Amino acid sequence: MSEKEFQQVGESTTGPAQQNPYGPNPADFLSNVNNFQLIDSTLREGEQFANAFFSTEKKIEIAKALDDFGVDYIELTSPVASEQSRKDCEAICKLGLKAKILTHIRCHMDDARVAVETGVDGVDVVIGTSKFLRQYSHGKDMNYIANSAVEVINFVKSKGIEIRFSSEDSFRSDLVDLLNIYKTVNKIGVNRVGIADTVGCANPRQVYELVRTLKSVVSCDIECHFHNDTGCAIANAYTALEGGARLIDVSVLGIGERNGITPLGGLMARMIVAAPEYVKSKYKLKKIRDIENLVADAVEVNIPFNNPITGFCAFTHKAGIHAKAILANPSTYEILDPHDFGLKRYIHFANRLTGWNAIKSRVDQLNLNLTDAQIKEITAKIKKLGDVRPLNIDDVDSIIKDFHMELTTPMLKPTEGEGEEEPLDITGEPASKKVKTK
Amino acid sequence: MSEKEFQQVGESTTGPAQQNPYGPNPADFLSNVNNFQLIDSTLREGEQFANAFFSTEKKIEIAKALDDFGVDYIELTSPVASEQSRKDCEAICKLGLKAKILTHIRCHMDDARVAVETGVDGVDVVIGTSKFLRQYSHGKDMNYIANSAVEVINFVKSKGIEIRFSSEDSFRSDLVDLLNIYKTVNKIGVNRVGIADTVGCANPRQVYELVRTLKSVVSCDIECHFHNDTGCAIANAYTALEGGARLIDVSVLGIGERNGITPLGGLMARMIVAAPEYVKSKYKLKKIRDIENLVADAVEVNIPFNNPITGFCAFTHKAGIHAKAILANPSTYEILDPHDFGLKRYIHFANRLTGWNAIKSRVDQLNLNLTDAQIKEITAKIKKLGDVRPLNIDDVDSIIKDFHMELTTPMLKPTEGEGEEEPLDITGEPASKKVKTK
């Protein structure tokens, strides 16, 4: 086949259709991608994480950190879970945080009466609506659920406190049942209705459809809660906002029942791409690392190696062609800017996949004068050694310096290199060291 | 407001609209949710992970494990990356695995000539098509790209080897440019075209739209590759299949550049919900844990605490109301069955959020006879101690046994409990022990 037979491909001259190509889809008229709120549930859902035991002091420390970060709401364990849970709830309400304080209770007057006395700004009520939960958990029918919901909502509202009504296991509930109960509670003036993917079964387009449908039934705000069993909790949160949900439940590192819910940091990674101005003006993104470390320590886990933003290699570039382009313009292989999060980028050049552009950058850092041809020769040596064993920054620097030494003082033995370099954006240090230290 | 004012909610009697409510959306006529293939790229994309250095022996061990699991394709690092890379590629081709072996090269005849001599079943060609990559990486225009693609594709096809053409950074490329080049390569008989979210910026509905559009332009299979920078790599893979993509690139634990790509295990969690029969008949799901441990050891990372399926608490239930329902029917709070993966479920009852149903289940395991009222009394004691400090299984057992002892021999001092229990599905062991080992 000759070159002329295939369709000619012209250089496109079309301008950008919208200012931010990763921003809200213009076809989503109800989108809240640019106007969302966060309900952090580290101290409620997160307390249901297998490893979690938060002392009063730790709860207060976490609540203050979340408030400083800028979350809109902080949700706490039900005051009827235990006596200390009630006292902790009261203590956090007294801190005078900017964030509104919520507690999360069963849809029952016994719980509601205790909740309204704690000093919270709002009460989150939940009841299972799926056939599974109605049969095996509380055993009540939809009429009973509606009656309880109306009683609890009217009671909480009478105290001048915000009230949210959520179904549980919404994606395994009957759609007509769901819309009926949401319509009922909306009519009596609930502040928010909640959709909860309690078992983590939902997929993004399903979420979008349900939120869109619900948006046509209720006038109040819609809150969404996504478990991460099948790995879609961040994506589901994003499509929920596209469909018109306003509030997303998150927890630090996503801790919660089983493998947890939408993580605060991961959702920030998603949202800063879509709504950079909104996210940067509202949330202190540089605090994410500290908050994650605080909670990880408290529940005795490590930050996952592949965590969005704060995973040890989230901004590490390794392959030669990646390194080359990143050195020319970081946007080539980065949608997130590490500096937005108070972090740095790394070029991992000490390995067999390295390229000469990455090595050239290192040569420049070492302030040595070498031609491109010489650097390519060095690169070949490095790749050869990298085939034999893992390399570190000293290996590469030795090869570079030996080569340079031979050029400048060909008759002398190479001497030891200088001392430590200053901290650099570019490093060949094997990242495993960072992983192993907590 | 009286009870009669709100809308009556009737018990729904509608039957299931489709057999599996989590299965393919019937509106997706082109869906491959029930008919997808996996290209595992642990030995290519995964080698670009900061910590990865695979010896020849380790590569072979990983390739055999993936083949045994049942992946359709195994993708290897370019043979031009280094001399050892080429030798390793040849060695893996000689293993006689069921999976087809691919190697991944730049869209260049120099690379193609080496690749076709290695013994691979297919060659994956990639070239950057976004303005970013065209400007800062290879510096070529779309006509140059098209010419190179045609030359390389015709050459590889002439050797009787499968060929895939992928754009790089597809979601930041001009749509018309993309469709033009895909149409061109489809016409000359490429086996697959690839869409790559190289920087991890895509969101699920965007993915669906692009795949659907591309599906109307090409007749060959569509392969997708998603990075996870903004946490959507699993969800994007799923919506790509809904839109008609056939093949998904994965790696074990998602290892790759930066924080990696769609993880094999996480995608299996998503897909078993949607296509249980297909997934269970095709892939050896019980091997996931071993493969993840193999790769985690090789690259010196820990399995993330919140990993789908194999995270240490993915099947641990803690809150009292969860435990109660799980004991009655596991499906109430589980969309995945741990036994499908050779794993077990845990009820974490030794904490202040526990409920009397969970404690009752433990009493039964200990083979003690207590009334419900007595168990509720014990539960209150456990919650009280759980308010003071973290509990373990021995704490709870001691409380139960002391209580039982006082009932049966009220005048005697309680004695020490028996020795160790056998392994149980239900445990109160603090999970942190499991996290800290490995």
CSV table of all heavy atoms in Angstrom, one decimal, chain B residues 105-133:
chain,number,residue,atom,x,y,z
B,105,ILE,N,6.2,-0.9,21.6
B,105,ILE,CA,7.3,-0.1,21.0
B,105,ILE,C,6.9,1.3,20.6
B,105,ILE,O,5.7,1.5,20.5
B,105,ILE,CB,8.0,-0.8,19.8
B,105,ILE,CG1,6.9,-1.0,18.7
B,105,ILE,CG2,8.6,-2.2,20.2
B,105,ILE,CD1,7.5,-1.5,17.4
B,106,ARG,N,7.8,2.1,20.4
B,106,ARG,CA,7.5,3.4,19.7
B,106,ARG,C,7.1,3.2,18.3
B,106,ARG,O,7.5,2.2,17.7
B,106,ARG,CB,8.7,4.3,19.8
B,106,ARG,CG,9.1,4.8,21.2
B,106,ARG,CD,10.5,5.5,21.2
B,106,ARG,NE,11.5,4.6,20.8
B,106,ARG,CZ,12.8,4.8,20.8
B,106,ARG,NH1,13.2,6.0,21.2
B,106,ARG,NH2,13.7,4.0,20.4
B,107,CYS,N,6.4,4.1,17.7
B,107,CYS,CA,5.9,3.9,16.3
B,107,CYS,C,7.1,4.3,15.4
B,107,CYS,O,7.1,5.4,14.8
B,107,CYS,CB,4.7,4.9,16.1
B,107,CYS,SG,4.0,4.6,14.5
B,108,HIS,N,8.0,3.4,15.3
B,108,HIS,CA,9.3,3.6,14.5
B,108,HIS,C,9.8,2.3,14.0
B,108,HIS,O,9.8,1.3,14.6
B,108,HIS,CB,10.3,4.2,15.5
B,108,HIS,CG,11.4,5.0,14.8
B,108,HIS,ND1,12.4,4.4,14.1
B,108,HIS,CD2,11.6,6.3,14.8
B,108,HIS,CE1,13.2,5.3,13.6
B,108,HIS,NE2,12.8,6.5,14.0
B,109,MET,N,10.3,2.4,12.7
B,109,MET,CA,10.7,1.1,12.1
B,109,MET,C,12.0,0.5,12.8
B,109,MET,O,12.1,-0.7,12.8
B,109,MET,CB,11.1,1.4,10.6
B,109,MET,CG,9.9,1.5,9.7
B,109,MET,SD,8.9,0.0,9.7
B,109,MET,CE,10.0,-1.1,8.8
B,110,ASP,N,12.8,1.4,13.4
B,110,ASP,CA,14.0,0.8,14.1
B,110,ASP,C,13.5,-0.1,15.2
B,110,ASP,O,14.1,-1.2,15.4
B,110,ASP,CB,14.8,2.0,14.7
B,110,ASP,CG,15.5,2.8,13.7
B,110,ASP,OD1,15.5,2.4,12.5
B,110,ASP,OD2,16.0,3.9,14.1
B,111,ASP,N,12.5,0.3,15.9
B,111,ASP,CA,12.0,-0.5,17.0
B,111,ASP,C,11.2,-1.7,16.4
B,111,ASP,O,11.4,-2.9,17.0
B,111,ASP,CB,11.0,0.3,17.9
B,111,ASP,CG,11.7,1.4,18.7
B,111,ASP,OD1,12.8,1.7,18.4
B,111,ASP,OD2,11.1,1.9,19.6
B,112,ALA,N,10.5,-1.5,15.4
B,112,ALA,CA,9.6,-2.6,14.8
B,112,ALA,C,10.5,-3.8,14.3
B,112,ALA,O,10.2,-4.9,14.5
B,112,ALA,CB,8.7,-2.1,13.7
B,113,ARG,N,11.6,-3.4,13.7
B,113,ARG,CA,12.5,-4.4,13.1
B,113,ARG,C,13.1,-5.3,14.2
B,113,ARG,O,13.2,-6.5,14.1
B,113,ARG,CB,13.7,-3.8,12.4
B,113,ARG,CG,13.2,-3.3,11.0
B,113,ARG,CD,14.4,-2.8,10.1
B,113,ARG,NE,14.0,-1.9,9.1
B,113,ARG,CZ,14.0,-0.6,9.2
B,113,ARG,NH1,14.5,0.0,10.2
B,113,ARG,NH2,13.5,0.1,8.2
B,114,VAL,N,13.4,-4.7,15.4
B,114,VAL,CA,13.9,-5.6,16.5
B,114,VAL,C,12.7,-6.4,17.1
B,114,VAL,O,12.9,-7.6,17.4
B,114,VAL,CB,14.5,-4.6,17.6
B,114,VAL,CG1,15.0,-5.5,18.8
B,114,VAL,CG2,15.6,-3.8,17.0
B,115,ALA,N,11.6,-5.8,17.2
B,115,ALA,CA,10.4,-6.4,17.9
B,115,ALA,C,10.0,-7.7,17.2
B,115,ALA,O,9.8,-8.7,17.9
B,115,ALA,CB,9.2,-5.4,18.0
B,116,VAL,N,9.9,-7.6,15.9
B,116,VAL,CA,9.4,-8.8,15.2
B,116,VAL,C,10.3,-10.0,15.2
B,116,VAL,O,9.9,-11.1,14.9
B,116,VAL,CB,9.1,-8.5,13.7
B,116,VAL,CG1,8.0,-7.4,13.6
B,116,VAL,CG2,10.3,-8.1,12.9
B,117,GLU,N,11.6,-9.8,15.6
B,117,GLU,CA,12.5,-10.9,15.7
B,117,GLU,C,12.6,-11.6,17.1
B,117,GLU,O,13.3,-12.5,17.3
B,117,GLU,CB,14.0,-10.4,15.4
B,117,GLU,CG,14.2,-9.8,14.0
B,117,GLU,CD,13.8,-10.8,12.9
B,117,GLU,OE1,14.1,-12.0,13.1
B,117,GLU,OE2,13.2,-10.4,11.9
B,118,THR,N,11.8,-11.1,18.0
B,118,THR,CA,11.9,-11.6,19.4
B,118,THR,C,11.0,-12.9,19.6
B,118,THR,O,11.2,-13.6,20.6
B,118,THR,CB,11.3,-10.6,20.4
B,118,THR,OG1,10.0,-10.2,20.0
B,118,THR,CG2,12.3,-9.4,20.4
B,119,GLY,N,10.1,-13.1,18.6
B,119,GLY,CA,9.2,-14.3,18.8
B,119,GLY,C,7.8,-13.9,19.4
B,119,GLY,O,7.0,-14.8,19.7
B,120,VAL,N,7.5,-12.6,19.5
B,120,VAL,CA,6.3,-12.2,20.1
B,120,VAL,C,5.1,-12.5,19.2
B,120,VAL,O,5.3,-12.6,18.0
B,120,VAL,CB,6.2,-10.7,20.4
B,120,VAL,CG1,7.2,-10.3,21.6
B,120,VAL,CG2,6.5,-9.8,19.2
B,121,ASP,N,3.9,-12.7,19.8
B,121,ASP,CA,2.7,-12.9,19.0
B,121,ASP,C,2.1,-11.6,18.5
B,121,ASP,O,1.3,-11.6,17.5
B,121,ASP,CB,1.6,-13.5,19.9
B,121,ASP,CG,2.1,-14.9,20.4
B,121,ASP,OD1,2.3,-15.8,19.6
B,121,ASP,OD2,2.2,-15.0,21.7
B,122,GLY,N,2.5,-10.5,19.1
B,122,GLY,CA,1.9,-9.2,18.7
B,122,GLY,C,2.8,-8.0,19.1
B,122,GLY,O,3.6,-8.2,20.1
B,123,VAL,N,2.6,-6.9,18.4
B,123,VAL,CA,3.4,-5.7,18.7
B,123,VAL,C,2.4,-4.6,19.0
B,123,VAL,O,1.4,-4.4,18.3
B,123,VAL,CB,4.3,-5.3,17.5
B,123,VAL,CG1,4.9,-4.0,17.8
B,123,VAL,CG2,5.3,-6.4,17.3
B,124,ASP,N,2.6,-3.9,20.1
B,124,ASP,CA,1.8,-2.8,20.5
B,124,ASP,C,2.5,-1.5,20.2
B,124,ASP,O,3.6,-1.2,20.8
B,124,ASP,CB,1.4,-2.8,22.0
B,124,ASP,CG,0.4,-3.8,22.3
B,124,ASP,OD1,-0.2,-4.4,21.4
B,124,ASP,OD2,0.2,-4.1,23.5
B,125,VAL,N,2.0,-0.7,19.2
B,125,VAL,CA,2.7,0.5,18.8
B,125,VAL,C,2.0,1.7,19.4
B,125,VAL,O,0.7,1.7,19.5
B,125,VAL,CB,2.7,0.6,17.3
B,125,VAL,CG1,3.0,2.0,16.8
B,125,VAL,CG2,3.6,-0.4,16.7
B,126,VAL,N,2.7,2.7,19.9
B,126,VAL,CA,2.1,3.8,20.5
B,126,VAL,C,2.8,5.1,20.0
B,126,VAL,O,4.0,5.1,19.8
B,126,VAL,CB,2.2,3.7,22.1
B,126,VAL,CG1,3.6,3.8,22.6
B,126,VAL,CG2,1.3,4.8,22.7
B,127,ILE,N,2.1,6.2,19.8
B,127,ILE,CA,2.7,7.4,19.6
B,127,ILE,C,1.8,8.6,20.1
B,127,ILE,O,0.6,8.5,20.1
B,127,ILE,CB,2.9,7.7,18.0
B,127,ILE,CG1,3.8,8.9,17.8
B,127,ILE,CG2,1.6,7.7,17.3
B,127,ILE,CD1,4.5,9.0,16.5
B,128,GLY,N,2.5,9.5,20.7
B,128,GLY,CA,1.8,10.7,21.3
B,128,GLY,C,1.1,11.5,20.3
B,128,GLY,O,1.6,11.9,19.3
B,129,THR,N,-0.2,11.8,20.5
B,129,THR,CA,-1.0,12.5,19.5
B,129,THR,C,-1.5,13.9,20.1
B,129,THR,O,-2.1,14.7,19.4
B,129,THR,CB,-2.2,11.7,19.1
B,129,THR,OG1,-2.8,11.1,20.2
B,129,THR,CG2,-1.8,10.7,18.1
B,130,SER,N,-1.3,14.1,21.4
B,130,SER,CA,-1.7,15.3,22.0
B,130,SER,C,-0.8,16.4,21.6
B,130,SER,O,0.4,16.2,21.2
B,130,SER,CB,-1.8,15.2,23.5
B,130,SER,OG,-0.5,15.2,24.1
B,131,LYS,N,-1.3,17.7,21.7
B,131,LYS,CA,-0.4,18.8,21.3
B,131,LYS,C,0.8,18.8,22.3
B,131,LYS,O,1.9,19.1,21.9
B,131,LYS,CB,-1.2,20.1,21.5
B,131,LYS,CG,-2.2,20.3,20.4
B,131,LYS,CD,-2.4,21.8,20.1
B,131,LYS,CE,-3.3,22.0,18.9
B,131,LYS,NZ,-4.8,21.8,19.2
B,132,PHE,N,0.6,18.5,23.5
B,132,PHE,CA,1.7,18.4,24.5
B,132,PHE,C,2.8,17.5,24.0
B,132,PHE,O,3.9,17.9,24.0
B,132,PHE,CB,1.2,17.9,25.9
B,132,PHE,CG,0.4,18.9,26.7
B,132,PHE,CD1,-1.0,18.8,26.8
B,132,PHE,CD2,1.0,20.0,27.2
B,132,PHE,CE1,-1.7,19.7,27.6
B,132,PHE,CE2,0.3,21.0,28.0
B,132,PHE,CZ,-1.1,20.8,28.1
B,133,LEU,N,2.4,16.3,23.7
B,133,LEU,CA,3.4,15.3,23.4
B,133,LEU,C,4.0,15.6,22.0
B,133,LEU,O,5.2,15.4,21.8
B,133,LEU,CB,2.8,13.9,23.4
B,133,LEU,CG,2.5,13.4,24.8
B,133,LEU,CD1,1.8,12.1,24.8
B,133,LEU,CD2,3.8,13.3,25.6
